[in-house]
Amino acid sequence: MSMFPIATLNPGNATNVTFSSIPQTFTHLQLRAFGRTAFSTADWDLWIQLNGVGGTSYTYHLLFGNGSSASSAGFASQGFARIGSIPGSTATANVFGVSVCDILDYTNTNKNKTIRAIAGFDANGSGNVGLWSSVFLDTTAITSITVGTANSNFATGSRLDLYGISTSNATGA
Amino acid sequence: MPVSLASSAAASMHGAMVPIASQTVTSTTYQIAFNNIPQTYQDLFLVCTLRTDNASRSDGTSIGVSGAGSTDFSYTELWGTGSSANTARGSNTSVILARTGSVGATAASGTYSAVNWHILNYRNTSTFKTFLGRTASDSNGDGAVELAVGTYRSTNAITTLSVFGWNGSYVAGSTATLYGIRSVGQ
């Protein structure tokens, strides 16, 4: 099994950005996000949408710790999959959150798509770390991934890298 | 002494994940260190199997950077032991801690923890460095699964990494392998 870089996006101050025309030659995808939002808050959601589909096509669960309490929650009929939370503009400067997000069997047209993420950030007295899992209730192969923060902009310095994971000798970009 | 793995060039045979160096502990040691880390990748990925001589079935593991100040780090942890889910935070620390990240001396023989650390954007000189760790250990009646996130509050590029036992030292058979994760065009 090998991992190959597909594309990199630097969101700048965009609200959301999209990896489009994703090659259908891999078995799994991995999105590696290094992010911060310009929204005036301590922390904020990081989300993805697949194939431009929103509506009620996603459900997600999370297991989450913030240094004070460990908690779990579930959400049904959502318009996006959550892949973590990132610091906002009131968090310590230069701190960025990270998310390592896997989408397994993304080309399989017999399966809904399961999304798994480990993510977190620490701002020296604030922050959180956790596991997020989502399902995209759609068997269509994934050809695009839109990444965004909820109703806010990315902060400069954020970066998104998409990788394909192959179980064959297929190569990427 | 780290073993430099054959050819870290970004050959297509390696794909995005390129082995940099690997170490296997042969005699009890306080730390496992990687120095002179190449500045040619996007991210780093450290994969470890760990056991310490702590007189317990479990121990922690920590990660740091050579030359860092004693208060340059902070971290948040989330861990489950089979009986409870817990979270904790450390501020102004010298390392990032995953307090359940190793097994100790009285764990079942031949048992080691499995530990991964992601360090994204490790050579970016405009941002602080975020570490994301995942650890797992089980010794048939003891053990834990843990996530830890930490920040190295420095814009310096990371050129060294060290992992340390929390209460004990790493014993023979413990391993650590450092990979570079390359991005498009690297």
Side-chain angles (χ1 to χ4, degrees):
Chain A
M1 185 177 288
S2 294
M3 182 171 152
F4 295 92
I6 296 175
T8 295
L9 293 175
N10 293 289
N13 295 123
T15 304
N16 58 76
V17 291
T18 299
F19 292 96
S20 57
S21 302
I22 294 172
Q24 300 294 292
T25 50
F26 300 104
T27 305
H28 312 303
L29 296 174
Q30 184 173 95
L31 172 66
R32 301 170 70 86
F34 183 81
R36 186 181 174 103
T37 174
F39 192 53
S40 181
T41 183
D43 65 84
W44 203 234
D45 293 346
L46 184 65
W47 56 256
I48 62 173
Q49 282 183 334
L50 306 180
N51 296 345
V53 174
T56 58
S57 297
Y58 306 84
T59 69
Y60 63 83
H61 289 78
L62 57 99
L63 175 65
F64 176 91
N66 62 8
S68 299
S69 61
S71 59
S72 179
F75 299 84
S77 302
Q78 299 294 299
F80 51 84
R82 273 190 70 184
I83 61 167
S85 64
I86 54 177
S89 66
T90 63
T92 303
N94 295 323
V95 172
F96 283 71
V98 302
S99 173
V100 178
C101 171
D102 296 307
I103 305 170
L104 305 185
D105 252 356
Y106 74 104
T107 66
N108 192 313
T109 56
N110 296 309
K111 297 179 181 178
N112 294 325
K113 307 305 181 284
T114 297
I115 302 151
R116 172 188 70 188
I118 57 171
F121 76 93
D122 187 280
N124 197 30
S126 64
N128 58 75
V129 65
L131 285 160
W132 282 260
S133 73
S134 306
V135 67
F136 176 46
L137 295 165
D138 192 315
T139 58
T140 308
I142 304 304
T143 59
S144 74
I145 301 172
T146 300
V147 188
T149 69
N151 300 316
S152 66
N153 296 53
F154 282 101
T156 301
S158 298
R159 180 188 171 102
L160 306 165
D161 288 278
L162 182 67
Y163 294 83
I165 297 172
S166 174
T167 56
S168 69
N169 291 324
T171 60
Chain B
M1 176 70 70
V3 174
S4 293
L5 299 177
S7 181
S8 62
S12 60
M13 62 176 287
H14 288 301
M17 188 163 155
V18 180
I20 296 172
S22 185
Q23 297 190 56
T24 299
V25 175
T26 56
S27 61
T28 302
T29 184
Y30 170 61
Q31 72 171 25
I32 304 173
F34 295 90
N35 301 314
N36 301 313
I37 295 171
Q39 300 295 292
T40 51
Y41 303 104
Q42 185 58 41
D43 306 328
L44 297 173
F45 185 48
L46 182 64
V47 179
C48 308
T49 63
L50 301 171
R51 183 181 178 105
T52 76
D53 60 0
N54 182 46
S56 171
R57 284 189 288 188
S58 64
D59 198 357
T61 185
S62 56
I63 188 167
V65 171
S66 177
S70 61
T71 60
D72 281 355
F73 289 89
S74 58
Y75 58 85
T76 301
E77 301 171 84
L78 171 67
W79 73 97
T81 61
S83 57
S84 63
N86 309 278
T87 183
R89 175 168 287 143
S91 299
N92 299 310
T93 59
S94 58
V95 293
I96 295 165
L97 174 65
R99 70 188 62 214
T100 68
S102 180
V103 300
T106 60
S109 176
T111 301
Y112 293 77
S113 69
V115 178
N116 296 341
W117 288 102
H118 296 272
I119 305 109
L120 274 65
N121 249 4
Y122 74 104
R123 57 189 179 93
N124 187 311
T125 55
S126 299
T127 65
F128 292 163
K129 309 304 178 288
T130 304
F131 291 61
L132 183 62
R134 181 175 63 176
T135 79
S137 64
D138 195 286
S139 55
N140 195 24
D142 195 70
V145 58
E146 177 165 352
L147 291 176
V149 64
T151 296
Y152 173 40
R153 293 191 314 282
S154 171
T155 56
N156 293 337
I158 290 176
T159 60
T160 71
L161 284 173
S162 293
V163 288
F164 309 87
W166 190 23
N167 295 299
S169 298
Y170 296 123
V171 300
S174 297
T175 64
T177 302
L178 182 65
Y179 298 87
I181 306 293
R182 67 180 186 96
S183 183
V184 174
Q186 293 178 342

